[in-house]
Amino acid sequence: DGGITQSPKYLFRKEGQNVTLSCEQNLNHDAMYWYRQDPGQGLRLIYYSQIVNDFQKGDIAEGYSVSREKKESFPLTVTSAQKNPTAFYLCASTQDNSNTIYFGEGSWLTVV
Amino acid sequence: KQEVTQIPAALSVPEGENLVLNCSFTDSAIYNLQWFRQDPGKGLTSLLLIQSSQREQTSGRLNASLDKSSGRSTLYIAASQPGDSATYLCAVPAYGGSQGNLIFGKGTKLSVKP
């Protein structure tokens, strides 16, 4: 089935570590997004990419980095510079000329 | 800057009731508004998308309305069922952003009691 796969579902990070969350889509969508969701809060945009080898910062990009080397993949690295990384991370994608957005199942990141 | 507010934050109703969830936005220059459903610990599923030229959209027991001039949208759920229990979020596009660059409300957590 077509969709978005995020991995791992649960991830624990020690202080000072960088961790990478994986996002893969087989929908052939051009644009991909990373959102962060804190408990009881709405989603906030971290980074997005509309085309391979190009990406733009969202509202809360500090402490995060991304790459878009392949159309189907958009990994998110949470760096040690992100002081409060514990959250639920959601990856999404859209196709050009369509308002429909598809989300992955999310990844929980906890700092230990 | 666009802000999206959802009221109430939580709602508990008995099965079978009709209910209304509210969403308001500060900047009426939107070209659409979407309603999503989120089950605990899961991703979001798009329920309804209303274009700015439309007044409402319907899907099964769900009906969403949009009043751009007043900056409001409502999601009406008819004959609620326990399976409707979830968090419902509304979102509008960020000005000048791409299609998936959305500004979300904090959601309304709905609990439907059998």
Side-chain angles (χ1 to χ4, degrees):
Chain A
D1 288 347
I4 299 176
T5 301
Q6 290 188 236
S7 63
K9 180 67 177 180
Y10 300 95
L11 186 59
F12 297 90
R13 192 194 92 168
K14 294 181 180 179
E15 295 281 353
Q17 272 187 341
N18 293 351
V19 293
T20 297
L21 306 179
S22 170
C23 178
E24 303 278 331
Q25 54 100 357
N26 60 5
L27 300 167
N28 200 34
H29 285 175
D30 294 307
M32 298 185 72
Y33 308 82
W34 274 106
Y35 282 90
R36 168 179 173 147
Q37 186 177 31
D38 293 282
Q41 303 295 313
L43 281 66
R44 292 181 290 167
L45 184 65
I46 305 172
Y47 267 100
Y48 65 101
S49 167
Q50 294 180 276
I51 196 170
V52 174
N53 292 324
D54 188 40
F55 46 83
Q56 286 78 40
K57 294 181 179 180
D59 297 324
I60 55 167
E62 185 176 351
Y64 299 97
S65 66
V66 293
S67 63
R68 187 85 187 277
E69 297 178 1
K70 299 185 296 182
K71 186 176 183 178
E72 59 270 24
S73 179
F74 191 39
L76 173 73
T77 297
V78 184
T79 75
S80 57
Q82 172 49 241
K83 298 307 178 187
N84 185 22
T86 296
F88 190 50
Y89 290 86
L90 287 156
C91 180
S93 69
T94 60
Q95 182 57 292
D96 278 353
N97 301 318
S98 170
N99 292 313
T100 303
I101 183 168
Y102 295 85
F103 283 86
E105 289 291 278
S107 293
W108 290 94
L109 174 61
T110 303
V111 174
V112 294
Chain B
K1 182 180 177 181
Q2 178 75 271
E3 292 183 4
V4 178
T5 303
Q6 292 187 245
I7 295 173
L11 182 63
S12 182
V13 300
E15 182 177 5
E17 271 204 7
N18 302 325
L19 58 101
V20 174
L21 307 181
N22 297 292
C23 173
S24 62
F25 45 94
T26 55
D27 186 346
S28 61
I30 61 172
Y31 57 88
N32 64 53
L33 181 144
Q34 294 190 65
W35 283 93
F36 295 86
R37 169 182 172 139
Q38 184 177 31
D39 292 299
K42 301 289 187 181
L44 278 67
T45 301
S46 180
L47 297 173
L48 289 164
L49 183 149
I50 313 175
Q51 299 291 355
S52 60
S53 58
Q54 298 173 315
R55 299 283 292 185
E56 59 181 58
Q57 277 281 3
T58 298
S59 175
R61 293 182 295 108
L62 305 180
N63 176 277
S65 67
L66 175 63
D67 184 344
K68 277 186 60 177
S69 61
S70 67
R72 294 181 182 178
S73 175
T74 61
L75 179 66
Y76 175 82
I77 302 177
S80 59
Q81 303 171 358
D84 295 330
S85 298
T87 296
Y88 293 81
L89 299 104
C90 67
V92 298
Y95 181 78
S98 66
Q99 290 139 314
N101 188 342
L102 301 174
I103 298 175
F104 285 83
K106 294 181 179 181
T108 294
K109 186 175 182 179
L110 174 65
S111 177
V112 181
K113 304 295 185 183

